[in-house]
Structures are given as C-alpha cells and as structure tokens.
Amino acid sequence: MDVLLLIASGLWVMVPALVANPGAVIFGGGTPVDFNRKWKGERVLGDGKTWRGLIGGICFGVLIGCLQIAGETNYAYLLPGFIGFGPMPTALGAVFTLAIGSLLGDMCGAFIKRRFGMERGQKAPVLDQYDSIAGALLLTFLVFPDWTLRTFVLGDAWVSLLAVLVVTPLLHRSVNIIGYKVGLKKEPW
Ligand code: CTP
Ligand code: MG
C-alpha cells in the first residue's frame, strides 16, 4: 500500500483515542475517580482524573469514531486502498476499546506520576505523551488482536504505527497549548 495511505490510515483509526483526552478536559470536573482516596500518603490518581472526564471523554471518542465509520462506509470509494476501521462489527468494537483504553492509559499515567510523588499537572515527559495511546493500543490488542495486528503491525502496517508514534507527541503538545490558551487547561503540556 501507498506510504501516504498507510500514514493516513494509522492516524485516522487513532482518532477516537486521541480525541478522548480533549473530551475529558472539556467534560471533566466534579468527583475524582479515586474518591479522594490516598495510597501511601499520596492520592491514588489525583484531582485531574474525574468520573465526568472519564465518561464524557469515552462518549466523545466513541461518538467521533461512529461518525468516522459512517464516513468510511459512505466515502470509501474516494480513497481506493484505504483500510481504516474496516468492516463492522469489529470496527465499532475497536472504536470502543480505543476510546476506553486511551483514558485507562491516561489514568495509569496519573497513577504512576502519583507514585513518584508528582503533583497533578506536573510535567512527565514520555509518560504524558504516550500513556493514552499505549493504553488504547494495548486494550484494543487484547480484545481484537487480529484487527490490531492487521492495522498496525503486519505487512506494511508498521508504517501506520510509526506515524502514530511520531505524530502523537506533536499533536498532544499543540492541542494542550490550544487548551491552555482558551482556558480549558491549567498547563500548556
Ligand atoms: N480530566 C478529567 N478526567 C479524566 C482525565 C482528564 O476530568 N479522566 C480533566 C482534568 O480537568 C485534568 C485535565 O482534563 O486536569 C487535563 O488532563 P491531564 O493533563 O491528563 O491531567 P493533569 O491535570 O495533567 O493531571 P495528571 O498529573 O494526573 O496527569
Ligand atoms: Mg497533564
């Protein structure tokens, strides 16, 4: 397959995972996921992980993913060779695991940060950028191994994964700067 198609396809299928985080920022607030509980003197997750953010972010990622699947079904003929989410029902399942895994990964990142005594919002390079895509890919691989291998590993598909790994930190940074400027985020990272 064409390299540009592989890059586009990889980024396209990661969209539900990528938009889940800004979704959490938009809808977040209220009761923290850890209910203020502490573990060994530090918060389990901290105030940056809330139920509203978790549920809202997942719903937002799933909604966008459903629109993408509808788009694929109707406009696939415009890009011959583009695979994207592929056939239902796995396509829909993958949208769910990508969005859910993304925010689970984000919470694992927060859990790790708290264990190192880092405050909410404190910068953690690598972890901040990759926790959610790692969670999204891992959960999706566990539930839909064939889909994940076909989309990101086998044959030429590793190019799609590489594109995701290269573009995600750049996207993460730009979106956070925008979120900071419009007052949705407390820090520009
Ligand atoms: N958010 C939320 N619930 C989630 C994830 C995110 O409410 N499950 C909201 C919070 O308002 C959070 C903001 O989105 O402050 C930005 O998310 P993120 O940068 O991941 O959290 P941080 O505030 O940086 O906290 P941490 O250090 O724990 O990552
Ligand atoms: Mg942060």
Side-chain angles (χ1 to χ4, degrees):
M1 213 202 304
D2 202 287
V3 172
L4 281 179
L5 277 180
L6 285 161
I7 296 173
S9 176
L11 296 174
W12 171 256
V13 298
M14 279 312 275
V15 167
L18 295 171
V19 300
N21 283 291
V25 176
I26 293 167
F27 298 109
T31 312
V33 175
D34 65 5
F35 296 108
N36 287 305
R37 271 195 274 263
K38 290 190 175 183
W39 190 44
K40 295 184 181 169
E42 296 286 344
R43 285 286 296 277
V44 179
L45 299 173
D47 284 331
K49 308 297 142 184
T50 67
W51 285 103
R52 260 172 41 202
L54 178 65
I55 309 287
I58 291 172
C59 291
F60 188 60
V62 168
L63 174 76
I64 299 289
C66 288
L67 294 175
Q68 289 181 274
I69 294 176
E72 271 186 19
T73 325
N74 292 307
Y75 300 104
Y77 66 91
L78 293 174
L79 269 183
F82 184 87
I83 296 179
F85 291 98
M88 292 285 266
T90 313
L92 184 61
V95 161
F96 270 87
T97 55
L98 286 165
I100 294 169
S102 166
L103 289 183
L104 290 183
D106 177 54
M107 290 199 300
C108 289
F111 180 81
I112 294 169
K113 281 166 83 172
R114 299 302 91 84
R115 303 291 67 77
F116 282 98
M118 299 171 81
E119 296 296 324
R120 169 205 180 166
Q122 203 177 323
K123 210 178 203 164
V126 185
L127 197 60
D128 278 337
Q129 286 83 18
Y130 286 110
D131 54 3
S132 65
I133 50 164
L137 290 172
L138 186 65
L139 183 67
T140 307
F141 175 70
L142 291 175
V143 182
F144 303 108
D146 295 344
W147 184 91
T148 311
L149 291 176
R150 171 166 55 75
T151 311
F152 286 115
V153 182
L154 300 177
D156 295 336
W158 62 271
V159 178
S160 301
L161 181 61
L162 187 64
V164 168
L165 296 179
V166 171
V167 171
T168 305
L170 304 172
L171 220 54
H172 186 266
R173 182 83 179 131
S174 336
V175 169
N176 286 346
I177 290 174
I178 296 170
Y180 176 71
K181 291 233 157 108
V182 301
L184 277 169
K185 261 193 73 96
K186 290 199 176 74
E187 306 86 14
W189 53 80

